[in-house]
Amino acid sequence: MQLDALALRMRPRAPLEAADLGVRLCQSAAGSVYACYAVVFVPIAALALATFEIGVWLPTLILFWSKPWLDRTILFVLSRAAFGQTTSVRQLWEARGAVWGRQLLLTWTWRRLSPWRSFTQPVYQLEGLRFGKIRQRVMQVRRRKRGTALLMTLSFFMAQLCLVLAGVSLLLWFAPGENARRTFFEMLFDPDSAFFEASTAVAFAIVLAFLEPFYVAAGFAMYLNRRAELEAWDVEQELRRAFAS
């Protein structure tokens, strides 16, 4: 890790303060993040929504289960943004093997259920450790930080849930006329209608497209903060800058 090239100023931070730093990092690199994210998200979302005829619950499940794999692209862009580098779609494509193909089976299986996924994902993706050492490293990074990482995940889950419900409710609020609103309301809660599942899947896809980069960024910044805590990055960074000047 070349700390003198790190664009972020490392100092002791509370984990949730570090999560806020990650949100700011995502905002500053939003152009690169969303351009590269769209490359993987749009095909997955289109494929998921196309399975609605197979099962009304299938689009939401596919989108939900594909989040760890989608997060790899976001984390790749953010890891470069932390060093002040922008990422183009071409650069993402050149690194596609490492970003999309590595640890593919684990990404699509048990890691999906990790309650602190965005906090530990940088260990799997960025540190380049052998498989036998990854678990030990994850446990070290996660020690005494699991509760905060879980709280962050729950916060984003609640924000996601509220935004999805708000998106579905727009159909009622913007329906033209009282009769149309009543019709929409009856369709939403009609057990024989698939309207609720379809509108939920579309709303979930829209929210996932917007919110997921911020979740990944928050976890990534918490990871960097934990690395700084374990390895005294803040001290080393200040010494490097002092001697450089």
Side-chain angles (χ1 to χ4, degrees), residues 38-90:
V39 172
V40 292
F41 177 77
V42 172
I44 289 292
L47 175 64
L49 296 175
T51 63
F52 184 78
E53 292 295 331
I54 301 175
V56 294
W57 47 269
L58 197 53
T60 302
L61 177 62
I62 292 175
L63 290 170
F64 172 80
W65 207 263
S66 63
K67 288 173 70 174
W69 185 77
L70 297 173
D71 293 351
R72 294 183 64 89
T73 297
I74 302 170
L75 183 57
F76 172 73
V77 179
L78 290 173
S79 66
R80 291 170 56 86
F83 289 90
Q85 302 175 18
T86 58
T87 304
S88 65
V89 173
R90 179 178 180 178

Side-chain angles (χ1 to χ4, degrees), residues 13-59:
R13 289 182 172 89
L16 294 182
E17 184 185 2
D20 182 68
L21 176 66
V23 171
R24 298 297 181 90
L25 174 64
C26 186
Q27 289 175 330
S28 66
S32 297
V33 169
Y34 282 100
C36 294
Y37 182 40
V39 172
V40 292
F41 177 77
V42 172
I44 289 292
L47 175 64
L49 296 175
T51 63
F52 184 78
E53 292 295 331
I54 301 175
V56 294
W57 47 269
L58 197 53

Side-chain angles (χ1 to χ4, degrees), residues 51-202:
T51 63
F52 184 78
E53 292 295 331
I54 301 175
V56 294
W57 47 269
L58 197 53
T60 302
L61 177 62
I62 292 175
L63 290 170
F64 172 80
W65 207 263
S66 63
K67 288 173 70 174
W69 185 77
L70 297 173
D71 293 351
R72 294 183 64 89
T73 297
I74 302 170
L75 183 57
F76 172 73
V77 179
L78 290 173
S79 66
R80 291 170 56 86
F83 289 90
Q85 302 175 18
T86 58
T87 304
S88 65
V89 173
R90 179 178 180 178
Q91 290 170 323
L92 172 65
W93 180 253
E94 291 173 350
R96 62 188 181 277
V99 178
W100 299 336
R102 187 172 296 171
Q103 301 174 348
L104 189 62
L105 179 61
L106 296 177
T107 300
W108 281 93
T109 52
W110 64 273
R111 282 186 196 163
R112 178 61 193 89
L113 302 178
S114 172
W116 36 73
R117 186 181 74 253
S118 68
F119 178 48
T120 56
Q121 180 60 33
V123 178
Y124 296 105
Q125 185 172 340
L126 303 179
E127 294 197 7
L129 298 175
R130 294 182 179 179
F131 185 79
K133 295 183 178 180
I134 289 179
R135 179 174 175 81
Q136 182 180 356
R137 179 61 171 170
V138 167
M139 292 179 64
Q140 181 188 34
V141 170
R142 205 172 57 192
R143 188 175 298 120
R144 296 193 302 273
K145 303 297 179 182
R146 287 181 292 185
T148 308
L150 177 60
L151 178 62
M152 187 268 291
T153 298
L154 290 176
S155 299
F156 274 92
F157 172 76
M158 294 305 298
Q160 176 181 278
L161 179 61
C162 290
L163 289 174
V164 169
L165 293 177
V168 174
S169 69
L170 288 177
L171 296 173
L172 299 176
W173 289 109
F174 287 96
E178 185 66 29
N179 292 332
R181 281 194 291 271
R182 186 179 298 110
T183 301
F184 273 124
F185 188 82
E186 292 173 353
M187 290 175 64
L188 280 174
F189 295 99
D190 183 1
D192 297 326
S193 173
F195 182 75
F196 178 75
E197 288 82 0
S199 58
T200 300
V202 173

